[in-house]
Amino acid sequence: MSSGGTVFSAAGVWPLLAFLADGAQGAARAELARALGVPAEQAAAAARELLAELADAKALDAALGLWTKRTLEPREEWEAGLPTDAHGVLTGDPALDQQEMDAWAAKRTGGLIERMPVEVRDDTALVLASALALRTTWQRPFEARPVRPSTGPWQGRTLRGLHRRSVRPDRAGVATAPAGRVTEVKVLGDNGVDVHLLLGDEHMTPGQVLAAGAALLDGTCPVVRGSLLPLGPAGPGLRVEERPCADPRQPTLEVTTAAFEMRAQHDLLDLHELFGLTAARDGRQGHFPGISASPLAVGSARQSVLARFDALGFEAAAVTAVAAAPGGPPPTPRYLSTVVTAAFDRPFGFLAVHRRTRLALTAGWVAEPVPFH
């Protein structure tokens, strides 16, 4: 992954590769199986299970679409593994077919993605597509306020900062990965989808930070939660301190981060080896006899992605109040309160995670936060 901002959804790619593997043969089948991590004969069942899991999640909308030319007949046993309403027909008019598929993409993502990432051409015989959309509202909203980092790549810029205080210090933690330390802060949604913010040591690359975040999900990376961290600098952007207070208080977690919005376009064939599509690109022969008797090869494979992170969406409000302060000297502090502060004030990563299955639905790197207006 480059150091620039981007976002990607592996959960949108995996089912498509699985259904392709189910109908592939020869080198294409072997490459797809290696990319998927499961035998090709098990791939379609695993894809159906994943799609069913996503469809049952309250926060998600997931769909699969198939379009074929009238002259191409999919094999019944392969098509039977797809959702019953997935199959559409390519009319042979590229402009008309593109319009129909763009409308499908917009409908299935609630208007977040307005166009299908691949273009229909005269020679297009089959299009297999997935759509995934998720929305969540924070269990505890952030307060939007300007933030002006004093160091790092965002130094001197006034950003749309988001601040929140809670009594859950264990929502923050420091992981020790092979490449360095990573601070993780979990922001919980109200419908089963959470966002994990990830800030690595300054020398770490985006790929190393996100890999550590993925290792945290499967439990292979050790992590020390906020309530067990020592006083002082405890991790990247993370500090534990004791503050005087007038009455007993629970340990708290204060999080400051930056709002972000990003869109990305990915050509999967640029990384054909990673996705198991090297042999499948060869148009001199067919690679998917299990899909159709008509010879087929992969002509293009792309993904469009959007990610947006803010306090709660868009809200406007005004409050006017007059407060009366009691007379006399302020109370003398008699207690100490532990405060864990986390500041994401330089480029950081994130994972949108389905809480029950711990599946990372989208992953991204924030290089350009939203400016404060």
Side-chain angles (χ1 to χ4, degrees):
M1 176 181 289
S2 68
S3 59
T6 191
V7 58
F8 183 76
S9 174
V13 175
W14 202 93
L16 300 187
L17 299 181
F19 285 120
L20 289 177
D22 182 53
Q25 71 171 6
R29 184 178 179 89
E31 289 176 356
L32 284 164
R34 283 196 297 271
L36 291 165
V38 299
E41 57 271 18
Q42 300 175 16
R48 288 192 293 271
E49 183 178 348
L50 172 61
L51 291 172
E53 188 77 48
L54 296 178
D56 287 343
K58 184 169 62 172
L60 305 175
D61 292 313
L64 192 83
L66 171 70
W67 293 264
T68 61
K69 275 189 172 181
R70 299 182 190 278
T71 54
L72 187 146
E73 294 185 8
R75 295 196 184 277
E76 292 184 7
E77 57 272 26
W78 182 81
E79 189 178 6
L82 306 181
T84 55
D85 59 347
H87 195 181
V89 176
L90 296 174
T91 66
D93 182 337
L96 183 63
D97 293 332
Q98 190 74 54
Q99 183 179 0
E100 178 185 341
M101 288 194 293
D102 290 348
W104 180 88
K107 178 181 178 180
R108 295 299 187 175
T109 62
L112 296 177
I113 303 295
E114 298 179 347
R115 288 184 55 83
M116 187 70 76
V118 297
E119 293 187 2
V120 182
R121 304 182 304 188
D122 290 333
D123 61 349
T124 301
L126 178 149
V127 175
L128 181 65
S130 70
L132 178 68
L134 65 94
R135 290 178 173 84
T136 191
T137 300
W138 308 133
Q139 291 182 3
R140 292 178 57 84
F142 287 84
E143 174 191 351
R145 59 172 71 166
V147 169
R148 192 176 178 86
S150 58
T151 61
W154 299 342
Q155 180 178 1
R157 298 170 58 181
T158 304
L159 310 177
R160 179 174 171 80
L162 305 175
H163 181 78
R164 192 174 75 172
R165 180 185 293 111
S166 74
V167 293
R168 301 296 180 93
D170 283 350
R171 296 272 167 81
V174 179
T176 303
R181 300 173 307 161
V182 173
T183 293
E184 176 200 52
V185 170
K186 299 178 183 178
V187 186
L188 271 59
D190 65 351
N191 53 9
V193 170
D194 309 325
V195 174
H196 298 197
L197 304 178
L198 305 166
L199 184 69
D201 281 326
E202 293 191 31
H203 69 270
M204 295 177 69
T205 66
Q208 290 171 334
V209 174
L210 291 174
L216 281 167
L217 290 180
D218 61 24
T220 59
C221 187
V223 60
V224 179
R225 288 294 160 198
S227 61
L228 300 177
L229 291 170
L231 293 174
L238 196 67
R239 185 175 184 85
V240 181
E241 56 188 6
E242 289 186 338
R243 298 178 185 173
C245 55
D247 48 61
R249 297 181 184 177
Q250 293 178 273
T252 58
L253 170 64
E254 295 183 0
V255 178
T256 301
T257 186
F260 60 83
E261 178 176 338
M262 59 183 68
R263 297 176 184 267
Q265 303 281 338
H266 301 287
D267 189 337
L268 306 187
L269 295 187
D270 287 344
L271 298 172
H272 53 85
E273 293 181 351
L274 174 66
F275 294 108
L277 296 173
T278 303
R281 301 176 306 155
D282 186 356
R284 294 172 296 180
Q285 58 180 308
H287 304 280
F288 303 97
I291 295 178
S292 173
S294 302
L296 296 169
V298 174
S300 64
R302 303 180 63 87
Q303 185 181 79
S304 300
V305 200
L306 163 73
R308 184 182 293 132
F309 186 108
D310 210 332
L312 193 63
F314 177 78
E315 295 180 321
V319 177
T320 304
V322 176
T332 302
R334 296 186 296 133
Y335 302 93
L336 293 175
S337 173
T338 301
V339 179
V340 180
T341 59
F344 292 78
D345 57 1
R346 56 181 171 84
F348 61 91
F350 70 91
L351 299 175
V353 179
H354 184 222
R355 189 182 306 149
R356 185 166 63 83
T357 62
R358 300 183 68 79
L359 173 67
L361 302 168
T362 58
W365 184 258
V366 181
E368 285 298 322
V370 175
F372 180 82
H373 296 292

